[in-house]
């Protein structure tokens, strides 16, 4: 299923800001500031420019997270999530009904599926997800995107994370399929894996 491309105006401005920032971060910041000051900008455009602003701030203030660390133990997954990625996801889903649930938590569908699968066993270990994107409907949480975070792409943890994400993605998809009107022909969900400064998606 093809995804909607970035609107051409935002795509062009993003490219210009990127090229300007390569030469001078301050010039890139000033350009973003002027764009954010324009009253004619839509909410979607302003959120996009704020993402560009955040990226410039990351390049300026968090170089140590963008380079390969000699001692990976110096930094944690939360360092990457909080300083690099959390702001971006918040802006992407601002002004929507999508809620971000950060910190390890267990999705209800995953709990129910494991309980049914291992009904005769006690103390079942359930998968905890680093961050979940969900929507609330009549005081019930409905997961739409699970996110796992590792420190870098050489971290062996990403292999286990991907296995976990695939299983959680299936649980999310099954739950959406069971609860969405049959009028919807296509039901899908994303899974997102973050490895330090890198990000990968699948749906």
């Amino acid at each position: 299923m093809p995804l909607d491309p970035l609107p051409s105006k935002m795509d062009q401005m993003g490219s210009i800001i990127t090229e300007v920032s390569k030469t001078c971060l301050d010039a890139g910041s000033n350009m973003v500031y002027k764009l954010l000051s324009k009253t004619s900008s839509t909410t979607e455009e302003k959120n996009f420019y704020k993402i560009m602003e955040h990226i410039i701030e990351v390049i300026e203030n968090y170089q140590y997270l963008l380079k390969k660390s000699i001692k990976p133990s110096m930094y944690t997954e939360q360092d990457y999530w909080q300083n690099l990625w959390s702001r971006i996801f918040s802006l992407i889903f601002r002004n929507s009904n999508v809620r971000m649930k950060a910190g390890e938590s267990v999705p209800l569908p995953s709990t129910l599926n494991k309980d049914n699968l291992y009904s005769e066993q006690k103390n079942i270990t359930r998968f905890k997800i680093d961050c979940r994107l969900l929507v609330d409907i009549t005081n019930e949480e409905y997961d739409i995107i699970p996110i796992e975070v590792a420190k870098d792409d050489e971290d062996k943890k990403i292999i286990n994370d991907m296995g976990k994400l695939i299983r959680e993605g299936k649980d999310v998809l099954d739950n959406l399929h069971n609860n969405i009107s049959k009028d919807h022909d296509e039901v899908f969900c994303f899974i997102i894996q973050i490895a330090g400064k890198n990000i990968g998606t699948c749906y």
Side-chain angles (χ1 to χ4, degrees):
M1 178 180 176
L3 300 178
D4 293 335
L6 194 66
S8 59
K9 178 183 176 181
M10 292 161 60
D11 189 26
Q12 291 170 4
M13 292 310 303
S15 297
I16 294 171
I17 293 168
T18 300
E19 290 304 314
V20 170
S21 298
K22 286 180 181 178
T23 305
C24 177
L25 288 176
D26 285 341
S29 295
N30 290 335
M31 187 175 182
V32 172
Y33 177 78
K34 290 178 181 178
L35 288 168
L36 286 171
S37 300
K38 293 177 65 174
T39 56
S40 59
S41 296
T42 66
T43 299
E44 183 183 30
E45 289 170 346
K46 286 185 177 180
N47 287 341
F48 175 74
Y49 298 142
K50 286 177 182 177
I51 290 175
M52 297 300 296
E53 179 182 49
H54 170 71
I55 292 172
I56 293 172
E57 289 176 354
V58 166
I59 294 171
E60 192 170 26
N61 300 313
Y62 296 99
Q63 275 292 322
Y64 61 91
L65 292 178
L66 301 178
K67 298 177 180 178
K68 288 288 185 182
S69 173
I70 298 175
K71 294 182 179 180
S73 59
M74 292 172 60
Y75 310 118
T76 68
E77 295 169 2
Q78 283 301 307
D79 288 328
Y80 289 97
W81 172 251
Q82 291 178 3
N83 296 315
L84 270 59
W85 295 105
S86 178
R87 172 75 172 157
I88 292 176
F89 280 95
S90 294
L91 288 168
I92 289 174
F93 293 103
R94 178 177 286 185
N95 307 115
S96 76
N97 61 347
V98 176
R99 176 165 63 89
M100 186 166 63
K101 191 168 188 174
E104 291 188 332
S105 61
V106 181
L108 180 59
S110 175
T111 299
L112 296 176
N113 286 346
K114 274 211 160 186
D115 286 346
N116 291 332
L117 187 61
Y118 303 103
S119 58
E120 297 181 359
Q121 297 185 27
K122 296 181 179 180
N123 301 319
I124 301 170
T125 301
R126 299 176 176 86
F127 292 125
K128 293 181 179 179
I129 301 300
D130 290 332
C131 182
R132 297 156 54 203
L133 299 179
L134 38 82
V135 293
D136 299 315
I137 301 176
T138 60
N139 294 322
E140 295 289 340
E141 294 181 341
Y142 289 88
D143 287 76
I144 54 174
I145 302 176
I147 303 173
E148 279 294 319
V149 183
K151 289 188 286 187
D152 61 64
D153 52 11
E154 295 180 0
D155 190 342
K156 293 180 180 179
K157 178 178 179 289
I158 65 173
I159 298 175
N160 293 330
D161 281 354
M162 179 51 73
K164 186 196 302 184
L165 280 171
I166 291 172
R167 289 188 288 270
E168 291 302 327
K170 183 181 183 305
D171 287 341
V172 169
L173 190 59
D174 288 345
N175 190 52
L176 290 175
H177 187 270
N178 292 333
N179 287 281
I180 288 180
S181 170
K182 303 301 181 183
D183 294 334
H184 294 273
D185 295 329
E186 293 183 337
V187 179
F188 68 97
C189 78
F190 282 90
I191 58 175
I192 296 178
Q193 184 172 52
I194 292 172
K197 64 180 181 179
N198 302 308
I199 187 169
T201 64
C202 182
Y203 70 93

